[in-house]
Amino acid sequence: MIWSEIMDFQELWSTLLYFVVLMGVTVGCMAIFELITPFNDREEMKNGNTAVAIQFAGKIVGLSLVMFSSIFHNASLLAASVWGIIGFILMLIGYFIFEFLTPAFKVDQEIKNGNNSVAIVAASISLAIGIIVAGSIS
């Protein structure tokens, strides 16, 4: 079997381009997530704060679901990128709504203090938002 029967160069190039661009969008979005938290995510994880790692992982997976759906439902790289950014904005809104709906305590402070229970709920909310946004992209 010849290589051209399996895949052509254009498909490979397109795959690489989508990967690089949407990975860049994802990294940029995660950097913004890090900027809006009142603590340094990387420093906290480096120091062994499991709660921060749980929350961070939820954001990564939720955002990745949005990026997957953006690629899957859009015919162009530009459209996929724009919908990925829109999905990220919706995740940010959900993040602030969660903080607003828990006035009895500060979610970020609890996570910084190592409260794994709050981190699991925060990660679950990131996943839920990611799934809902991914399902909404068409």
Side-chain angles (χ1 to χ4, degrees):
M1 188 175 280
I2 328 174
W3 178 255
S4 63
E5 292 176 10
I6 300 170
M7 176 181 11
D8 66 19
F9 179 75
Q10 184 60 36
E11 288 174 338
L12 178 60
W13 175 247
S14 180
T15 298
L16 292 174
L17 198 55
Y18 272 80
F19 172 77
V20 168
V21 171
L22 271 293
M23 188 61 95
V25 171
T26 302
V27 168
C29 291
M30 286 304 297
I32 292 169
F33 264 138
E34 287 185 76
L35 287 174
I36 66 167
T37 55
F39 51 84
N40 186 321
D41 290 300
R42 293 170 196 253
E43 193 64 34
E44 290 293 324
M45 287 186 285
K46 182 180 169 187
N47 292 331
N49 189 331
T50 305
V52 171
I54 291 167
Q55 177 199 39
F56 197 82
K59 289 177 183 175
I60 290 171
V61 176
L63 192 54
S64 296
L65 289 165
V66 169
M67 296 304 158
F68 165 77
S69 186
S70 298
I71 293 167
F72 188 78
H73 291 288
N74 290 286
S76 76
L77 181 59
L78 179 60
S81 299
V82 168
W83 278 104
I85 293 167
I86 290 169
F88 166 69
I89 292 167
L90 292 172
M91 286 186 73
L92 278 177
I93 291 168
Y95 174 84
F96 288 116
I97 289 172
F98 177 48
E99 186 75 54
F100 176 76
L101 292 176
T102 55
F105 61 90
K106 289 245 176 235
V107 173
D108 284 333
Q109 190 60 46
E110 290 296 319
I111 291 170
K112 184 179 188 302
N113 292 341
N115 187 332
N116 288 339
S117 298
V118 173
I120 290 168
V121 172
S124 298
I125 287 172
S126 290
L127 292 171
I129 293 169
I131 290 167
I132 292 166
V133 171
S136 301
I137 295 172
S138 56

